[in-house]
Amino acid sequence: MPGAFEGETVTRRALMNIWANGVGGVAAAAFTLPALGFAIAPIFKRQPWSWQPIGPPADFPSTTYQTKVITTSPGIGEAGNTIAYVRARNPAIDKEPEDQYNQFVALSSRCMHLGCPVRFVAAAERFICPCHGGVYDFRGMVAGGPPVRPLDRFYTRVNNGLVEIGPRYSVNNELQRFSPRFPGEPIDGIGQYLYPAQFDTAQKP
Ligand code: FES
């Protein structure tokens, strides 16, 4: 090695450089790793959820929706609330497989185009999005406009004589359940692989 004495593999200057760079690297890591950890950790933290009672079953007919405010992100006040449209299951139109979690249909008000809040128009039996004209039918299926999939849903159950709402899930055009996706992410066909579930997805009931 140039500048090194006979038999040496590294010069004193090179050794000092390595040492100084090493110390610098450790010092930089001591500052950046905790900040990085704080920034990234929430991505892997599962969203907490709980069953939220919204009223007795008699409050929810199968012919129209009741509007309920529920909390999806606890601890942040009103910003953590959202609206769910809830009705009783109607076997005449709800053909997806029946189980203990869909005796009541609870639709998310979040448009599956870009996330604007949709509004249920009872006279038309449609959900209308004011942002770009998205329209959903009575079951929350896309009836027109740019939304890429049906409205998300919430698990529901009856417990102690009350209807309760659980975590949100997404559905494809066959109303098969998927873990929640963001608006704008189709999950039919290859879409379910192109837009995989988020790390922070809440556990199923
Ligand atoms: S956000 Fe609803 S149609 Fe665009």
Side-chain angles (χ1 to χ4, degrees), residues 111-116 118 129-136 145-147:
C111 181
M112 287 301 115
H113 176 219
L114 294 178
C116 287
V118 300
C129 179
C131 290
H132 314 101
V135 180
Y136 303 83

Side-chain angles (χ1 to χ4, degrees), residues 55-57 157-164:
R157 72 175 186 185
V158 178
N159 187 38
N160 291 330
L162 293 175
V163 179
E164 295 182 336

Side-chain angles (χ1 to χ4, degrees), residues 102-187:
N102 61 8
Q103 294 307 304
F104 290 84
V105 175
L107 301 183
S108 164
S109 63
R110 201 175 181 201
C111 181
M112 287 301 115
H113 176 219
L114 294 178
C116 287
V118 300
R119 187 169 60 90
F120 179 61
V121 180
E125 296 193 336
R126 292 279 188 275
F127 293 88
I128 309 291
C129 179
C131 290
H132 314 101
V135 180
Y136 303 83
D137 70 11
F138 188 70
R139 294 193 304 154
M141 312 295 290
V142 178
V148 298
R149 65 172 197 262
L151 291 172
D152 282 357
R153 297 182 168 212
F154 296 93
Y155 288 93
T156 59
R157 72 175 186 185
V158 178
N159 187 38
N160 291 330
L162 293 175
V163 179
E164 295 182 336
I165 286 194
R168 178 175 66 92
Y169 61 91
S170 295
V171 290
N172 65 6
N173 284 320
E174 278 76 50
L175 291 181
Q176 292 168 318
R177 291 175 184 152
F178 289 83
S179 39
R181 306 298 209 271
F182 289 120
E185 298 182 344
I187 46 179

